[in-house]
């Protein structure tokens, strides 16, 4: 039986979040009035092209927004507690991050055991021997032989290094993990192993994951729900199977249509391209930000920003029941 997680209390709530950038007298908006919930034990995908605001949203949740960027509006709360002003140890212990490049996340001068033990002892008041035991268990959980605990990061392959990074992210026993393009730097087969590992850990530990990616294939394989971002705005959200099989926003439909397909019958067909490019945050068009690229655009789209209709899609085509692509 599929659990409808949206019937239970959200773990993480983002309400009307805006992240702005001040440049001289000009203020640009990188994340614009974004509201989303993350439910216990779910994997929520954030998808969109570069510049859509995905990583910025992840950084805002972790409190990593730095000047000249700033949070100009909205709230982020974890289990009902505001975390925008939360001390770093609260954010670090309850929300972890997995970055794209494991080499950047790991200290090349320390063994993986030293890094795991240090992380565990930062968050738990336990002895070094207990931290060592937990480190070995974590390595085993992510599919690494615990006997390799004294190895240095450079002695591992890219996929194994990413497993170490996942073990480090799990070490504080967080309730939320933000994974920002965690498999982009890996081979396709290793990518599948890492995505399966994340899904398995999410199920076994009840950890919720926000998976940031530009890859619709990764979204399709891994996530329970997906939020499509464009120009810092939420344009469509829903159950992954609904959104990918029946996209209601023209941008989502374009992303789906431009995803490569390995079905041999599609080999002689030209891959769809969404015309144009994501606008710069200094130059976001009025109305619907997608209108210069949208084949369905009408006058209203150029002047008025569409709200989120039916808690699903921000497009004037869905204003009336039965409105469709
Ligand atoms: Fe296209 Fe208009 Fe919908 Fe924007 S609101 S996606 S321009 S139809």
């Amino acid at each position: 039986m599929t659990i409808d997680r949206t019937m239970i209390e959200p773990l993480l709530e983002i309400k009307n979040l805006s992240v702005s950038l001040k440049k001289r007298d000009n203020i640009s908006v990188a994340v614009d009035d974004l509201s989303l919930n993350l439910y216990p034990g779910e994997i929520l995908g954030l998808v969109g092209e570069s510049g859509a605001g995905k990583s910025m949203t992840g950084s805002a949740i972790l409190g990593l927004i730095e000047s000249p960027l700033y949070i100009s509006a909205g709230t982020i709360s974890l289990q009902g507690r505001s975390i925008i002003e939360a001390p770093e140890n609260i954010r670090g212990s309850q929300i972890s991050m997995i970055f794209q490049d494991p080499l950047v996340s790991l200290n090349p001068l320390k063994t993986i055991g030293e890094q795991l033990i240090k992380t565990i002892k930062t968050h738990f008041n336990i002895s070094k021997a207990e931290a060592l035991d937990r480190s070995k268990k974590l390595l085993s959980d992510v599919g690494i032989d615990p006997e390799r605990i004294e190895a240095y990061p450079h002695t591992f392959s890219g996929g194994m290094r990413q497993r170490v990074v996942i073990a480090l992210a799990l070490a504080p026993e967080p309730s939320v993990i933000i994974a920002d393009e965690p498999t982009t730097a890996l081979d396709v087969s290793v990518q599948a192993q890492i995505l399966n590992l994340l899904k398995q850990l999410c199920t076994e530990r009840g950890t919720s994951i926000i998976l940031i990616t530009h890859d619709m294939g990764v979204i399709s394989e891994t996530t329970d729900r997906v939020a499509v971002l464009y120009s810092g705005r939420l344009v469509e959200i829903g159950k992954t199977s609904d959104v990918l099989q029946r996209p209601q926003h023209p941008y989502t439909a374009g992303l789906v249509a431009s995803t490569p397909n390995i079905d041999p019958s599609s080999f002689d067909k030209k891959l769809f391209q969404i015309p144009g490019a994501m606008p710069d945050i200094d130059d976001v068009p009025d109305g619907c930000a997608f209108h210069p690229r949208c084949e369905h655009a009408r006058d209203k789209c150029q002047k008025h920003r569409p709200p989120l209709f039916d808690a699903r899609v921000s497009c004037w085509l869905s204003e009336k029941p039965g409105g469709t692509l």
Side-chain angles (χ1 to χ4, degrees):
M1 190 178 73
T2 309
I3 301 169
D4 183 356
R5 293 194 174 91
T6 58
M7 299 298 286
I8 48 184
E9 285 288 306
L11 181 65
L12 183 80
E13 275 184 287
I14 301 174
K15 278 193 191 157
N16 307 107
L17 177 72
S18 291
V19 179
S20 302
L21 173 70
K22 193 161 195 289
K23 277 198 226 158
R24 294 198 182 91
D25 295 335
N26 210 21
I27 292 181
S28 310
V29 182
V31 176
D32 192 351
D33 198 23
L34 178 73
S35 295
L36 313 160
N37 290 337
L38 176 70
Y39 294 92
E42 82 164 344
I43 304 183
L44 171 70
L46 295 189
V47 72
E49 297 158 290
S50 298
K54 314 180 297 291
S55 294
M56 193 74 75
T57 302
S59 297
I61 296 168
L62 278 161
L64 298 178
I65 300 292
E66 290 186 341
S67 177
L69 288 157
Y70 62 102
I71 293 181
S72 49
T75 59
I76 306 173
S77 53
L78 184 70
Q79 291 172 314
R81 287 195 309 166
S82 170
I83 58 169
I84 287 186
E85 305 299 335
E88 273 176 30
N89 60 341
I90 291 180
R91 279 197 306 264
S93 63
Q94 298 190 31
I95 308 177
S96 290
M97 184 97 185
I98 299 170
F99 293 100
Q100 178 177 335
D101 186 350
L103 272 182
V104 175
S105 313
L106 296 171
N107 183 338
L109 302 176
K110 304 260 187 210
T111 66
I112 60 168
E114 286 172 310
Q115 297 181 56
L116 278 164
I117 289 169
K118 184 171 179 210
T119 304
I120 291 168
K121 282 191 63 60
T122 301
H123 294 282
F124 300 99
N125 186 18
I126 58 175
S127 68
K128 192 172 175 191
E130 286 173 291
L132 176 63
D133 284 346
R134 283 199 197 184
S135 300
K136 287 183 174 174
K137 168 81 170 57
L138 278 167
L139 288 179
S140 169
D141 287 350
V142 299
I144 293 178
D145 180 356
E147 295 299 313
R148 297 202 65 196
I149 195 156
E150 290 181 13
Y152 285 87
H154 74 271
T155 64
F156 290 86
S157 65
M160 294 304 261
R161 275 197 291 265
Q162 196 60 302
R163 287 174 188 262
V164 175
V165 171
I166 292 172
L168 276 166
L170 292 170
E173 298 180 6
S175 46
V176 177
I177 292 178
I178 298 173
D180 192 352
E181 304 275 7
T183 56
T184 304
L186 304 175
D187 294 342
V188 177
S189 59
V190 180
Q191 173 176 309
Q193 291 171 10
I194 296 295
L195 293 175
N196 283 333
L197 175 64
L198 281 175
K199 276 166 81 170
Q200 176 198 331
L201 294 169
C202 184
T203 307
E204 287 172 1
R205 295 169 176 253
T207 312
S208 304
I209 298 177
I210 294 181
L211 180 65
I212 295 169
T213 180
H214 62 275
D215 187 332
M216 281 303 215
V218 169
I219 289 291
S220 162
E221 288 293 316
T222 318
T223 63
D224 300 301
R225 288 189 306 133
V226 58
V228 184
L229 303 190
Y230 187 83
S231 204
R233 303 173 183 179
L234 178 68
V235 297
E236 184 159 6
I237 186 165
K239 226 174 113 186
T240 301
S241 53
D242 291 345
V243 171
L244 299 195
Q245 285 165 26
R246 290 173 293 282
Q248 293 183 16
H249 194 283
Y251 179 58
T252 316
L255 290 179
V256 172
S258 56
T259 303
N261 186 339
I262 58 165
D263 177 355
S265 67
S266 68
F267 287 175
D268 56 350
K269 293 187 189 130
K270 204 172 164 200
L271 202 56
F272 178 78
Q273 285 183 327
I274 304 173
M278 179 80 66
D280 192 87
I281 61 166
D282 296 330
D283 195 22
V284 177
D286 290 338
C288 170
F290 187 60
H291 84 252
R293 306 173 73 186
C294 180
E295 61 178 316
H296 304 281
R298 48 185 86 169
D299 283 352
K300 188 174 189 176
C301 306
Q302 297 174 22
K303 298 185 189 117
H304 304 285
R305 178 173 168 175
L308 196 70
F309 293 107
D310 299 326
R312 162 78 187 256
V313 58
S314 172
C315 172
W316 289 119
L317 292 177
S318 298
E319 183 178 16
K320 298 195 178 91
T324 177
L325 285 178

